[in-house]
């Protein structure tokens, strides 16, 4: 790789002000989209729709927040969607068999975490490039999930469990509270802990990071395990919201999660970006898709638009970066 | 790393063992545990079913040699297969259908190349974006439905024979010969080696690496167009999810075939053996009645093992 020399000599803290400006632009973009949608559609500003947008964005955010850490290390995790599907199906089975939602939640989180750990091992110990290792993992997980489910659908979970995804507390959907909690934890972890700063350092310049004594392999393992665990968490929310699990629920989740990370200003080349940016990214993507839905554009258009957004986001990121240098 | 000398000639002796051993082991394994595997009918079935994959894996080899990747190939094949179906249905002409598929495929290839070469977007993300676009367009043009009632002239391509050899196999052999000639016996082929090994040298030689890169991706897209014709012929219809994930089998074939993901040297015959390995693996698992989901997972494991071995070799 030839890009390890750029803008990496600065201490990570000085990124924050630059990041703040980038996040501000993205907030403006989100508001602009809101304004346009409010004009175009009567139902956009209804309370029901806004809560719906927030809940939808929180689902994308759970997957994308863990992915943000991976991308900060200049890696990629393409297996997140397939991981959600497998974790949801296994957690669903455990709940059905034991009747205990707590046990199911733990299994889902553990399944996601183990898959993430395996990704980390492939990247660190086996030294397979992350995008191809996690792409292989995607298909292994897909195969396992379809084989395990054998075309069946798990349906019907305890009412208490379903509250997690579809319940309300003080008028706000419960996933929105979870979103705030994980947004806080993620931001604190990335910006205010040594481990978080080490993750930035690894992405900015892996050689310098290793030479300065950062245990690069262990931090990478952590990052992939966190990404997997967040996919496990997303699987629980999905399970309880849909009240059912099928082998194919993960197929349309990976691209939006990557889109959210990239729209949020996290650079594919590592070392630059914030978890808060990813939240705004998830919000912008959800607003666009929600807007298309309100304007009765067929859902068939969603992959096309998401694909275009991914490419645009990377291109804009590279353009602003080039100008900044 | 990049400073290593350009590998102009592959050294087959060094690589034949890996992929050939995999293939022989798989064949030996399934001859024992899968009844009927060694029958002529089944083996020719494996060959015919491997033809579509051959058409994707050969250009994928070139793309990976440039230190690139094309994740959109399966989705683009799906889209071109639909184009073939829709246009041949409307015009009753197989050739116009093929033309439409080729055009759409090549357009996506050029777009991929443009994103990678001119905009400098990392290949796996650029082609992930175009994967979404091709998948979306497939749903839009087909409205999520199968396209049925396509003319016989399309369907017959898959079942016809030429001198007793099934036409798809003839097409795959011609494709292999063309790629072999292109890579090992033309100047363009040498440039492809240089794209992965030493891009600076191309610039010093007064060539445009960007234009060459776009050409390589365009070839990939166009081949997805031709493979789209075979896919439509095979299924006797166009289906909006027909080819999704096929790029993974292609990447698997290239990885098993010994083309390196990091050093820009590739081996076409290895890719062909890799295609056969994937074909034998899927066919054998099918014969011992394991579902396609297990086949997918096995191919995934095969890729990870192949890449691990590749990494070991590059460190040795």
């Amino acid at each position: 790789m030839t890009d390890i020399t750029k803008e990496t000599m600065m201490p990570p803290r000085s990124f924050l002000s630059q990041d703040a400006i980038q996040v501000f632009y993205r907030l403006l973009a989100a508001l602009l989209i809101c304004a346009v949608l409010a004009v175009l559609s009567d139902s956009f500003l209804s309370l029901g729709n806004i809560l719906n947008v927030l809940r939808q964005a929180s689902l994308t955010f759970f997957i994308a927040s863990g992915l943000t850490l991976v991308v900060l290390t200049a890696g990629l995790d393409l297996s997140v969607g397939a991981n959600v599907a497998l974790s949801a199906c296994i957690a669903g089975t455990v709940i059905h068999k034991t009747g205990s939602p707590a046990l199911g939640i733990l299994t889902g989180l553990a399944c996601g975490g183990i898959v993430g750990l395996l990704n980390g091992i492939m990247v660190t110990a086996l030294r397979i490039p992350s995008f191809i290792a996690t792409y292989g993992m995607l298909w292994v997980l897909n195969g396992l999930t379809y084989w395990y489910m054998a075309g069946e659908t798990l349906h019907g979970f305890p009412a208490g469990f379903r509250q997690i995804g579809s319940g309300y507390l003080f008028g706000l959907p419960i996933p929105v509270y979870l979103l705030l909690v994980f947004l806080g934890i993620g931001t604190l972890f990335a910006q205010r802990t040594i481990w978080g700063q080490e993750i930035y350092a690894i992405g900015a310049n892996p050689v310098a990071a290793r030479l300065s004594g950062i245990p690069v392999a262990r931090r990478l393992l952590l990052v992939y395990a966190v990404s997997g665990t967040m996919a496990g968490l997303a699987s629980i929310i999905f399970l309880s919201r849909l009240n059912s699990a099928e082998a194919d629920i993960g197929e349309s989740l990976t691209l939006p999660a990557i889109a959210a990370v990239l729209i949020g200003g996290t650079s594919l080349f590592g070392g630059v970006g914030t978890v808060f940016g990813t939240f705004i990214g998830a919000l912008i993507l959800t607003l666009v898709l929600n807007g298309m839905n309100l304007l009765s554009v067929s859902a068939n258009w969603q992959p096309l638009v998401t694909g275009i957004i991914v490419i645009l986001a990377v291109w804009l990121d590279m353009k602003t970066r080039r100008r900044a240098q | 790393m990049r400073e290593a000398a350009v590998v102009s000639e592959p050294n087959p002796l060094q690589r034949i063992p890996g992929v050939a051993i995999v293939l022989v082991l798989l064949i030996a394994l399934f001859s024992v545990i899968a009844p009927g595997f060694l029958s002529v009918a089944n083996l020719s079935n494996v060959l015919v079913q491997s033809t579509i994959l051959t058409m994707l894996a050969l250009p994928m080899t070139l793309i990976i040699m440039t230190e690139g990747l094309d994740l959109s190939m399966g989705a683009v094949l799906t889209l071109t297969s639909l184009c073939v179906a829709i246009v041949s249905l409307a015009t009753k002409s197989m050739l116009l259908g093929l033309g439409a598929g080729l055009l759409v495929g090549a357009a996506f290839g050029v777009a991929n190349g443009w994103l990678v070469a001119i905009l400098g977007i990392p290949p796996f993300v650029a082609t992930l974006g175009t994967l979404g676009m091709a998948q979306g367009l497939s749903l839009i043009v087909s409205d999520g439905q199968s396209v049925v009632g396509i003319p016989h002239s399309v369907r017959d391509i898959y079942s016809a024979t030429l001198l007793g050899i099934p036409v798809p196999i003839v097409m795959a052999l011609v494709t292999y010969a063309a790629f072999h000639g292109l890579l090992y016996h033309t100047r363009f082929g040498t440039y492809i080696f240089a794209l992965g090994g030493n891009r600076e040298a191309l610039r010093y030689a007064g060539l445009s690496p960007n234009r060459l890169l776009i050409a390589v991706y365009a070839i990939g897209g166009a081949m997805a167009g031709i493979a789209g014709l075979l896919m439509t012929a095979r299924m006797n219809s166009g289906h909006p999810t027909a080819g999704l994930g096929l790029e993974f089998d292609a990447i698997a074939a290239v990885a098993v075939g010994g083309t390196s993901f990091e050093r820009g040297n590739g081996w076409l015959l290895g890719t062909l053996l890799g295609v056969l390995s994937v074909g034998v693996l899927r066919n054998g698992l099918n014969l011992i009645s394991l579902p396609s989901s297990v086949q997918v997972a096995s191919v995934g494991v095969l890729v990870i093992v192949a890449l691990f071995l590749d990494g070991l070799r590059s460190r040795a």
Side-chain angles (χ1 to χ4, degrees):
Chain A
M1 289 286 150
T2 52
D3 43 63
I4 31 181
T5 48
K6 59 176 193 204
E7 97 243 74
T8 56
M9 298 303 142
M10 297 175 281
R13 187 57 63 86
S14 66
F15 288 143
L16 293 183
S17 57
Q18 182 65 26
D19 280 343
I21 300 170
Q22 295 294 331
V23 167
F24 178 69
Y25 284 148
R26 285 167 174 83
L27 267 174
L28 276 186
L31 285 177
L32 193 69
I33 297 172
C34 287
V36 171
L37 287 178
V39 173
L40 288 180
S41 161
D42 294 334
S43 43
F44 174 73
L45 280 181
S46 73
L47 184 65
N49 186 57
I50 288 176
L51 292 183
N52 191 25
V53 166
L54 281 176
R55 191 194 341 234
Q56 201 67 42
S58 67
L59 284 173
T60 306
F61 173 77
F62 293 132
I63 309 175
S65 60
L67 191 58
T68 307
L69 298 183
V70 174
V71 177
L72 278 176
T73 67
L76 194 63
D77 186 351
L78 293 174
S79 70
V80 282
N83 194 353
V84 170
L86 180 66
S87 302
C89 291
I90 289 182
T93 312
V94 168
I95 295 176
H96 267 202
K97 288 267 153 68
T98 66
S100 156
L103 216 53
I105 293 172
L106 282 180
T107 324
L109 292 176
C111 173
I114 290 170
V115 168
L117 208 55
L118 288 176
N119 282 331
I121 290 173
M122 287 196 291
V123 172
T124 54
L126 306 188
R127 296 201 212 170
I128 303 174
S130 63
F131 61 94
I132 197 86
T134 55
Y135 185 60
M137 182 58 88
L138 185 175
W139 292 101
V140 173
L141 296 179
N142 244 352
L144 282 179
T145 313
Y146 275 87
W147 170 71
Y148 180 68
M149 296 301 283
E152 299 285 315
T153 306
L154 292 167
H155 184 77
F157 295 103
F161 177 70
R162 277 160 55 192
Q163 286 293 314
I164 301 174
S166 45
Y168 288 83
L169 191 67
F170 306 123
L172 278 179
I174 289 178
V176 175
Y177 291 99
L178 288 171
L179 172 128
L180 292 174
V181 168
F182 280 95
L183 184 56
I185 295 177
T187 305
L188 280 180
F189 174 74
Q191 318 292 357
R192 294 278 179 257
T193 68
I194 293 179
W195 284 11
Q197 295 293 296
E198 287 177 348
I199 288 167
Y200 277 91
I202 291 171
N205 190 337
V207 179
R210 194 171 48 238
L211 291 179
S212 57
I214 296 173
V216 174
R218 255 185 288 159
R219 293 298 169 268
L220 285 177
L221 274 182
L222 172 77
V223 157
Y224 284 92
V226 168
S227 173
T229 312
M230 288 308 289
L233 176 76
S235 79
I236 301 297
I237 316 268
F238 256 84
L239 199 59
S240 80
R241 170 143 179 253
L242 300 175
N243 194 20
S244 70
E246 253 177 296
D248 63 355
I249 61 170
E251 268 158 30
S252 54
L253 297 178
T254 306
L255 196 58
I258 292 174
V261 174
L262 298 177
I263 300 169
T266 301
S267 165
L268 270 176
F269 304 100
V272 179
T274 56
V275 176
F276 189 76
T278 298
F279 163 63
I280 306 289
L283 205 56
I284 290 179
L285 182 69
T286 312
L287 282 171
V288 171
L289 297 183
N290 177 260
M292 286 167 53
N293 194 16
L294 290 181
L295 302 174
S296 27
V297 178
S298 152
N300 287 343
W301 287 80
Q302 289 189 359
L304 177 70
V305 172
T306 313
I308 293 174
I309 289 178
V310 164
I311 289 172
L312 271 181
V314 181
W315 178 67
L316 278 175
D317 171 58
M318 297 179 63
K319 233 181 123 180
T320 47
R321 191 86 24 92
R322 218 169 283 159
R323 197 175 304 155
Q325 272 176 41
Chain B
M1 265 186 255
R2 189 70 65 79
E3 283 72 24
V6 177
V7 182
S8 53
E9 245 351 272
N11 179 359
L13 282 179
Q14 214 181 336
R15 293 210 211 103
I16 282 177
V19 61
I21 289 173
V22 169
L23 185 54
V24 168
L25 279 181
L26 284 173
I27 291 176
L29 174 72
F30 288 122
S31 325
V32 176
I33 64 170
F37 173 78
L38 274 184
S39 70
V40 176
N42 184 57
L43 288 181
S44 91
N45 191 18
V46 171
L47 290 180
V48 172
Q49 286 185 345
S50 300
T51 51
I52 292 177
L53 189 53
T54 308
M55 299 198 159
L56 297 186
L58 290 173
M60 187 71 93
T61 311
L62 303 192
I63 291 172
I64 288 175
M65 283 174 65
T66 69
E67 299 192 323
L69 193 65
D70 187 353
L71 296 180
S72 73
M73 240 178 214
V76 171
L77 180 142
T78 306
L79 180 61
T80 59
S81 160
L82 280 167
C83 290
V84 170
I86 291 169
V87 172
S88 65
L89 183 64
T91 63
K92 303 285 169 227
S93 157
M94 183 274 280
L95 279 178
L96 280 179
L98 175 63
L102 264 177
L103 207 66
V104 171
F108 261 92
V110 170
N112 282 333
W114 184 73
L115 293 169
V116 171
I118 309 291
L119 296 193
I121 298 177
F124 54 94
V125 174
T127 55
L128 191 67
T130 51
L131 183 166
M133 292 165 66
Q135 199 179 342
L137 282 175
S138 300
L139 287 170
I140 292 164
V141 297
S142 66
D143 200 25
Q145 307 292 314
S146 291
V147 179
V148 291
I150 56 170
H152 287 290
S153 54
V154 173
R155 193 183 65 190
D156 290 345
I157 292 173
Y158 203 72
S159 47
T161 58
L162 194 71
L163 307 172
I165 306 169
V167 168
I169 293 184
V170 174
M171 288 172 71
L173 288 176
V174 170
T175 309
Y176 179 76
F179 271 80
H180 189 91
L182 182 75
L183 186 61
Y184 298 121
H185 298 290
T186 68
R187 223 181 270 174
F188 183 68
T190 314
Y191 297 156
I192 293 176
F193 277 105
L195 272 177
N198 195 340
R199 220 167 270 190
E200 279 307 300
L202 284 176
R203 236 174 249 128
Y204 288 131
L207 293 154
S208 157
N210 288 348
R211 232 177 287 164
L212 290 167
L213 211 49
I214 293 177
V216 171
Y217 280 92
I219 292 173
M223 289 308 299
I226 301 177
L229 173 70
L230 275 186
M231 180 62 92
T232 305
R234 173 168 153 186
M235 311 213 321
N236 195 20
S237 65
H239 194 273
T241 59
L244 294 186
L246 261 183
E247 75 280 357
F248 183 61
D249 280 15
I251 292 170
V254 176
V256 175
T259 292
S260 160
F261 275 74
E262 275 175 339
R263 279 157 299 139
N265 44 18
W267 190 37
L268 284 181
L269 187 60
T271 296
L272 198 60
L273 296 178
V275 167
L276 290 177
S277 304
V278 172
V280 165
L281 180 65
R282 279 181 169 269
N283 175 271
L285 292 176
N286 195 26
L287 286 181
I288 56 175
S289 29
L290 284 173
S292 68
S293 52
V294 177
Q295 299 170 26
V296 171
S298 315
V299 177
V301 172
L302 194 68
V303 170
I304 291 169
V305 170
L307 286 171
F308 172 53
L309 294 178
D310 180 52
L312 279 187
R313 246 183 327 207
S314 71
R315 262 175 281 165

